[in-house]
Amino acid sequence: MASVTTRTLLEMKQKGERIVALTCYDALFARLLDASGIDILLVGDSVNQVLAGASSTLSATLEQMIYHTTIVRRGTERAMVICDMPFLTYQVSPEDALRNCGRAMKESGCHAVKLEGGQAMAATVRRLVDVGIPVMGHLGLTPQSVHALGGYRVQGRDDAAAARLQSDAKALEEAGAFAVVLELVPAPLASQITTALTIPTIGIGAGPACDGQVLVVHDMLGLNEHFDAKFIKKYAALAEDVREAARVYAAEVREGRFPGPEHSFGK
């Protein structure tokens, strides 16, 4: 089965084929999701919240992202693996971004990196693309700017904000980004941006008109019961399955029913 590349994604947009993306943080989930035909595995800095228990993505480190991207890459054969670059690893200067993004790609084996921001990041995106580092953009609700944005809120509701997002999206395309994530953007605006761009848009809370969709895998599987949002659809309820399995295991251990003869070794 052919691997997904930036060219694959562009061809999918041109053909009207929807792109499927999920976050992924380890080799086990990577194998499962890759075998299920997921096109993009995004190693999001959301790992800092989902697995590390932090209140935001801001304290994620480059070493943390490289580690998780490396193990996701080990479990992947077909999907494109994208490393989400953490806060202050690319905003300081284009050269700083080049060093850090280059290190992420070299050490993890990922296929691309993702950066947040629009026109202000265009020069950085161009610098990276010029040396062969594929870049996915990210607009709308950008979690690394959550404090500046006043919380996790839908972006682009008024005309001025909508115009800025449209300009930002075009600037990223012109700088060479191969795709743009649109997060918490009104569906009509996301549709307009998707139509205006030749590169794919990947939506999360941005309506059905985007060229693809992404969700946090733990949210989609119903594992993260402490977070719920309008844009999430839970395709399973695995948190209760995990609790029930642990309860049964604990009961069997305490009652001496596990391990049984079939789980034990003789001489």
Side-chain angles (χ1 to χ4, degrees), residues 27 30-31 67 69-77 108:
R31 282 192 291 270
Y67 169 76
T69 305
T70 299
I71 60 178
V72 167
R73 188 69 185 87
R74 287 176 190 162
T76 308
E77 294 183 6
S108 73

Side-chain angles (χ1 to χ4, degrees), residues 47-225:
V47 65
N48 206 42
Q49 296 167 293
V50 178
L51 296 190
S55 60
S56 75
T57 66
L58 291 173
S59 59
T61 66
L62 181 57
E63 287 70 24
Q64 184 181 18
M65 296 311 304
I66 290 174
Y67 169 76
H68 283 281
T69 305
T70 299
I71 60 178
V72 167
R73 188 69 185 87
R74 287 176 190 162
T76 308
E77 294 183 6
R78 172 186 175 272
M80 171 181 279
V81 176
I82 301 176
C83 178
D84 205 356
M85 296 301 293
F87 184 56
L88 288 186
T89 61
Y90 60 92
Q91 292 98 331
V92 175
S93 70
E95 292 307 309
D96 199 44
L98 179 57
R99 280 192 298 272
N100 290 326
C101 293
R103 180 185 166 197
M105 291 199 69
K106 184 175 180 179
E107 295 183 21
S108 73
C110 69
H111 304 108
V113 298
K114 182 173 78 63
L115 313 181
E116 296 182 7
Q119 296 182 66
M121 295 307 304
T124 295
V125 171
R126 172 54 62 192
R127 183 74 178 95
L128 296 173
V129 172
D130 282 347
V131 298
I133 298 177
V135 178
M136 171 181 274
H138 186 154
L139 297 173
L141 187 281
T142 46
Q144 293 175 12
S145 303
V146 62
H147 298 305
L149 296 174
Y152 296 97
R153 302 164 56 236
V154 175
Q155 302 297 306
R157 286 193 183 276
D158 61 71
D159 291 344
R164 282 195 300 273
L165 281 178
Q166 290 172 317
S167 296
D168 283 340
K170 202 65 182 175
L172 290 175
E173 179 181 59
E174 292 173 354
F178 69 86
V180 179
V181 171
L182 299 177
E183 181 170 358
L184 291 191
V185 173
L189 174 58
S191 179
Q192 292 170 11
I193 293 173
T194 299
T195 300
L197 297 183
T198 61
I199 60 174
T201 59
I202 309 297
I204 177 168
C210 294
D211 297 302
Q213 299 292 328
V214 63
L215 284 175
V216 172
V217 67
H218 293 71
D219 296 338
M220 184 271 288
L221 293 175
L223 282 166
N224 187 4
E225 294 182 314

Side-chain angles (χ1 to χ4, degrees), residues 203-251:
I204 177 168
C210 294
D211 297 302
Q213 299 292 328
V214 63
L215 284 175
V216 172
V217 67
H218 293 71
D219 296 338
M220 184 271 288
L221 293 175
L223 282 166
N224 187 4
E225 294 182 314
H226 297 291
F227 178 71
D228 199 7
K230 179 182 177 66
F231 60 86
I232 295 172
K233 180 174 180 179
K234 296 184 178 180
Y235 288 82
L238 298 190
E240 182 53 37
D241 291 340
V242 171
R243 277 194 299 268
E244 179 59 22
R247 282 194 289 263
V248 173
Y249 167 71

